[in-house]
Amino acid sequence: MGIEWPVRLDSIDRYRLAQHGGFRFLELEELQVLDRYASEILNEIEDAWPVATATARDALSYTLFSDGTTGFTIQNDVDYVEFITEARTTTVRDGGAPLYETLIPQIVSGGNPTVTAMLDAMRTVTDSVEARLSSTPAAAARPRRPRGNR
C-alpha cells in the first residue's frame, strides 16, 4: 500500500501570486530551493524514524509539485508503513496512530526552523526571479495596442 503526504506551501503560493500578479510555473532556481529544503525535511523525518524499521525508513522519498500549488509529497511505498507506531504505544490494530500521522506533521509544521528557512528562502528566490523577469527585454518591450484611427 504505502503512504503519500502532500506538503503544500500555501503561503508561498499567495506570495508568488501577489508578486507576479497571476499564475506562473516555478523557475529553475525556485525549484532548486524547494528541492534543497524538501531534502532537508526528509532527512529530519528519516532521523526521527525508528531504526528498528530501517527498511521503511530507507523507503522514504519525496516528489516536488508545482502544478498550480507549490510543495512536495512525502512518500513511502513499504506495504506495512501504515502499521508502524512509536515504540511502546498502542498498535494500529488496537486503535493507535500510525507513526507517519504524527511524525510528519510535527516536522513539517511552521515551528520547525527548517520550514521557516525554506519559506524565507522561497520568498527571497521569488523576489529574485520576479526582478529578473520584469527586467528582461521581452517584458519591457511588450507590444502596445496602437491608439488613434483604425
Side-chain angles (χ1 to χ4, degrees), residues 27-40 64 117-126:
E27 295 288 320
L28 177 61
E29 52 266 53
E30 291 168 311
L31 285 168
Q32 289 170 331
V33 169
L34 182 59
D35 185 55
R36 183 178 85 230
Y37 281 98
S39 177
E40 287 184 31
L64 304 180
M118 175 181 58
L119 297 174
D120 290 344
M122 286 297 295
R123 287 185 192 95
T124 300
V125 73
T126 294

Side-chain angles (χ1 to χ4, degrees), residues 12 24 44 72 77 81 96-97 109 123 126 142 144:
I12 296 304
R24 71 169 170 77
E44 289 183 23
F72 52 96
D77 62 359
V81 70
S109 73
R123 287 185 192 95
T126 294
R142 287 189 181 118
R144 292 193 167 167

Side-chain angles (χ1 to χ4, degrees), residues 7 12 17 23 60 76-77 95 97 133 140:
V7 179
I12 296 304
L17 185 63
F23 171 79
L60 286 162
N76 190 313
D77 62 359
L133 291 176

Side-chain angles (χ1 to χ4, degrees), residues 24 36 40 68 74 90 103 130 136 143 147:
R24 71 169 170 77
R36 183 178 85 230
E40 287 184 31
I74 297 170
T90 306
L103 180 62
E130 287 301 325
T136 59
R147 296 183 184 199

Side-chain angles (χ1 to χ4, degrees), residues 21-80:
F23 171 79
R24 71 169 170 77
F25 289 102
L26 291 175
E27 295 288 320
L28 177 61
E29 52 266 53
E30 291 168 311
L31 285 168
Q32 289 170 331
V33 169
L34 182 59
D35 185 55
R36 183 178 85 230
Y37 281 98
S39 177
E40 287 184 31
I41 289 169
L42 186 72
N43 287 338
E44 289 183 23
I45 293 168
E46 289 172 340
D47 289 347
W49 201 270
V51 175
T53 60
T55 300
R57 183 192 62 211
D58 294 344
L60 286 162
S61 63
Y62 67 91
T63 304
L64 304 180
F65 57 83
S66 63
D67 56 351
T69 58
T70 306
F72 52 96
T73 301
I74 297 170
Q75 303 146 323
N76 190 313
D77 62 359
V78 171
D79 59 356
Y80 58 86

